[in-house]
Coordinates of all heavy atoms in Angstrom, one line a residue:
P363 N -27.4 -20.1 -28.3 CA -26.4 -20.5 -29.3 C -27.1 -20.8 -30.6 O -28.2 -21.6 -30.7 CB -25.7 -21.5 -28.7 CG -26.2 -21.9 -27.4 CD -27.4 -21.0 -27.2
D364 N -26.5 -20.5 -31.7 CA -26.7 -21.2 -33.0 C -26.3 -22.5 -32.9 O -25.5 -23.0 -32.2 CB -25.9 -20.4 -34.1 CG -26.4 -18.9 -34.2 OD1 -27.3 -18.6 -33.6 OD2 -25.8 -18.3 -35.2
R365 N -26.9 -23.4 -33.8 CA -26.7 -24.8 -33.7 C -26.2 -25.3 -35.1 O -26.8 -24.9 -36.1 CB -27.8 -25.6 -33.4 CG -28.4 -25.2 -31.9 CD -29.5 -26.2 -31.6 NE -30.5 -26.2 -32.6 CZ -31.4 -27.3 -32.8 NH1 -31.3 -28.3 -32.0 NH2 -32.4 -27.2 -33.8
I366 N -25.3 -26.2 -35.2 CA -24.8 -26.8 -36.3 C -25.2 -28.4 -36.0 O -24.7 -28.9 -35.1 CB -23.4 -26.8 -36.7 CG1 -23.1 -25.4 -37.1 CG2 -23.1 -27.8 -37.8 CD1 -21.7 -25.0 -37.6
I367 N -26.2 -28.9 -36.8 CA -26.8 -30.1 -36.5 C -26.2 -31.1 -37.6 O -26.2 -30.9 -38.8 CB -28.3 -30.2 -36.5 CG1 -28.9 -29.1 -35.6 CG2 -28.8 -31.6 -36.2 CD1 -30.4 -28.8 -35.7
V368 N -25.8 -32.3 -37.2 CA -25.2 -33.3 -38.0 C -26.2 -34.5 -37.8 O -26.4 -34.9 -36.6 CB -23.8 -33.8 -37.8 CG1 -23.4 -34.9 -38.7 CG2 -22.9 -32.6 -37.9
Y369 N -26.9 -35.0 -38.9 CA -27.9 -36.1 -38.7 C -27.2 -37.4 -38.9 O -26.6 -37.7 -40.0 CB -28.9 -35.9 -39.6 CG -29.7 -34.6 -39.4 CD1 -29.8 -33.5 -40.2 CD2 -30.5 -34.5 -38.2 CE1 -30.4 -32.4 -39.9 CE2 -31.3 -33.3 -37.9 CZ -31.2 -32.3 -38.8 OH -31.8 -31.1 -38.5
R370 N -27.3 -38.3 -38.0 CA -26.7 -39.6 -38.0 C -27.2 -40.6 -39.0 O -26.5 -41.2 -39.9 CB -26.7 -40.2 -36.5 CG -26.1 -41.6 -36.5 CD -26.1 -42.1 -35.0 NE -27.4 -42.4 -34.6 CZ -28.0 -43.7 -34.8 NH1 -27.3 -44.7 -35.2 NH2 -29.2 -43.9 -34.4
E371 N -28.5 -40.8 -38.9 CA -29.1 -41.9 -39.7 C -28.9 -41.4 -41.2 O -28.6 -42.4 -42.0 CB -30.5 -42.1 -39.4 CG -30.6 -42.8 -38.1 CD -32.1 -43.1 -37.7 OE1 -33.0 -42.8 -38.4 OE2 -32.3 -43.5 -36.5
P372 N -29.2 -40.3 -41.7 CA -28.9 -40.0 -43.2 C -27.5 -40.3 -43.6 O -27.2 -40.8 -44.7 CB -29.3 -38.5 -43.3 CG -30.4 -38.3 -42.2 CD -29.8 -39.1 -41.0
H373 N -26.5 -39.9 -42.6 CA -25.2 -40.2 -43.0 C -24.9 -41.6 -43.1 O -24.2 -42.2 -44.2 CB -24.2 -39.7 -41.9 CG -23.8 -38.2 -42.2 ND1 -24.6 -37.2 -41.7 CD2 -22.8 -37.7 -42.8 CE1 -24.0 -36.0 -42.1 NE2 -22.9 -36.4 -42.8
L374 N -25.4 -42.5 -42.2 CA -25.2 -43.9 -42.2 C -25.9 -44.6 -43.5 O -25.4 -45.5 -44.1 CB -25.6 -44.6 -40.9 CG -24.9 -44.1 -39.6 CD1 -25.6 -44.8 -38.5 CD2 -23.4 -44.4 -39.8
H375 N -27.0 -43.9 -43.9 CA -27.6 -44.6 -45.0 C -27.0 -44.3 -46.3 O -27.1 -45.0 -47.2 CB -29.1 -43.9 -44.9 CG -30.1 -44.3 -46.1 ND1 -30.7 -45.6 -46.1 CD2 -30.5 -43.7 -47.3 CE1 -31.3 -45.8 -47.2 NE2 -31.2 -44.7 -47.9
T376 N -26.4 -43.1 -46.4 CA -25.6 -42.7 -47.6 C -24.3 -43.3 -47.8 O -24.0 -43.5 -49.0 CB -25.4 -41.2 -47.5 OG1 -26.7 -40.6 -47.3 CG2 -24.7 -40.6 -48.7
C377 N -23.6 -43.8 -46.8 CA -22.2 -44.3 -46.9 C -22.1 -45.7 -46.7 O -22.9 -46.4 -46.0 CB -21.4 -43.5 -45.8 SG -21.4 -41.7 -45.9
D378 N -21.1 -46.3 -47.5 CA -21.0 -47.7 -47.6 C -19.8 -48.2 -46.7 O -19.7 -49.3 -46.5 CB -20.8 -48.2 -48.9 CG -22.0 -48.0 -49.8 OD1 -23.2 -48.3 -49.3 OD2 -21.8 -47.7 -51.0
D379 N -18.9 -47.2 -46.3 CA -17.8 -47.7 -45.4 C -17.3 -46.5 -44.6 O -17.7 -45.3 -44.8 CB -16.6 -48.2 -46.4 CG -16.1 -47.1 -47.4 OD1 -15.8 -46.0 -47.1 OD2 -16.1 -47.5 -48.5
L380 N -16.4 -46.8 -43.7 CA -15.9 -45.9 -42.7 C -15.3 -44.7 -43.4 O -15.5 -43.4 -42.9 CB -15.2 -46.5 -41.7 CG -14.7 -45.6 -40.5 CD1 -16.0 -45.0 -39.8 CD2 -13.8 -46.4 -39.6
A381 N -14.4 -44.9 -44.4 CA -13.6 -43.7 -45.0 C -14.6 -42.8 -45.7 O -14.4 -41.6 -45.6 CB -12.8 -44.3 -46.1
T382 N -15.8 -43.3 -46.3 CA -16.8 -42.5 -46.9 C -17.5 -41.8 -46.0 O -17.8 -40.6 -46.1 CB -17.7 -43.4 -47.9 OG1 -16.9 -44.1 -48.8 CG2 -18.6 -42.5 -48.7
L383 N -17.8 -42.4 -44.9 CA -18.6 -41.8 -43.8 C -17.8 -40.6 -43.3 O -18.3 -39.5 -43.1 CB -19.0 -42.7 -42.6 CG -19.7 -42.2 -41.4 CD1 -21.0 -41.6 -41.8 CD2 -19.8 -43.4 -40.4
R384 N -16.5 -40.8 -42.9 CA -15.6 -39.7 -42.4 C -15.5 -38.5 -43.5 O -15.7 -37.2 -43.0 CB -14.2 -40.1 -42.2 CG -14.0 -41.0 -41.0 CD -12.4 -41.2 -40.8 NE -12.2 -41.7 -39.6 CZ -12.1 -41.0 -38.4 NH1 -12.2 -39.7 -38.4 NH2 -11.8 -41.6 -37.2
D385 N -15.4 -38.8 -44.8 CA -15.4 -37.8 -45.7 C -16.8 -37.0 -45.8 O -16.8 -35.7 -45.9 CB -15.2 -38.4 -47.1 CG -13.7 -38.8 -47.3 OD1 -12.8 -38.4 -46.6 OD2 -13.5 -39.5 -48.3
E386 N -17.9 -37.7 -45.7 CA -19.1 -37.0 -45.7 C -19.4 -36.1 -44.5 O -20.0 -35.1 -44.6 CB -20.4 -38.0 -45.8 CG -21.6 -37.5 -46.3 CD -21.5 -36.8 -47.8 OE1 -21.1 -37.4 -48.7 OE2 -21.9 -35.7 -47.8
I387 N -19.0 -36.7 -43.4 CA -19.1 -35.8 -42.0 C -18.3 -34.7 -42.2 O -18.7 -33.5 -42.0 CB -18.7 -36.7 -40.9 CG1 -19.7 -37.7 -40.6 CG2 -18.5 -35.7 -39.7 CD1 -19.3 -38.7 -39.5
H388 N -17.0 -34.7 -42.7 CA -16.2 -33.6 -43.0 C -16.8 -32.6 -43.8 O -16.9 -31.3 -43.5 CB -14.9 -34.1 -43.5 CG -13.8 -33.0 -43.8 ND1 -12.9 -32.6 -42.9 CD2 -13.7 -32.2 -44.9 CE1 -12.3 -31.6 -43.3 NE2 -12.7 -31.3 -44.6
T389 N -17.3 -33.1 -45.0 CA -18.0 -32.2 -46.0 C -19.2 -31.4 -45.3 O -19.4 -30.2 -45.5 CB -18.4 -32.9 -47.2 OG1 -17.3 -33.5 -47.8 CG2 -19.1 -32.0 -48.2
T390 N -20.0 -32.2 -44.5 CA -21.2 -31.7 -43.8 C -20.7 -30.6 -43.0 O -21.3 -29.4 -42.9 CB -22.0 -32.8 -43.1 OG1 -22.4 -33.6 -44.2 CG2 -23.2 -32.1 -42.4
L391 N -19.6 -30.8 -42.0 CA -19.3 -29.8 -41.2 C -18.8 -28.6 -41.9 O -19.1 -27.4 -41.5 CB -18.1 -30.4 -40.3 CG -18.6 -31.4 -39.2 CD1 -17.3 -32.1 -38.6 CD2 -19.4 -30.9 -38.2
V392 N -17.9 -28.6 -42.9 CA -17.5 -27.5 -43.6 C -18.7 -26.8 -44.3 O -18.7 -25.6 -44.2 CB -16.5 -28.0 -44.8 CG1 -16.2 -26.7 -45.7 CG2 -15.2 -28.5 -44.1
H393 N -19.6 -27.5 -44.8 CA -20.7 -26.8 -45.5 C -21.6 -26.0 -44.4 O -21.9 -24.9 -44.6 CB -21.6 -27.9 -46.0 CG -22.9 -27.5 -46.7 ND1 -23.0 -27.5 -48.1 CD2 -24.1 -27.1 -46.3 CE1 -24.2 -27.0 -48.4 NE2 -24.8 -26.6 -47.3
E394 N -21.9 -26.6 -43.2 CA -22.7 -25.9 -42.2 C -21.9 -24.8 -41.7 O -22.5 -23.7 -41.3 CB -23.3 -26.9 -41.2 CG -24.1 -28.0 -41.7 CD -25.2 -27.6 -42.6 OE1 -25.6 -26.4 -42.6 OE2 -25.6 -28.3 -43.6

Side-chain angles (χ1 to χ4, degrees):
D364 293 356
R365 299 181 313 151
I366 291 177
I367 306 167
V368 178
Y369 296 112
R370 181 177 68 93
E371 291 177 9
H373 274 89
L374 297 178
H375 182 75
T376 301
C377 300
D378 293 326
D379 58 55
L380 187 57
T382 305
L383 179 60
R384 280 187 172 280
D385 288 345
E386 197 60 57
I387 290 170
H388 180 90
T389 299
T390 299
L391 289 170
V392 170
H393 182 104
E394 302 310 332

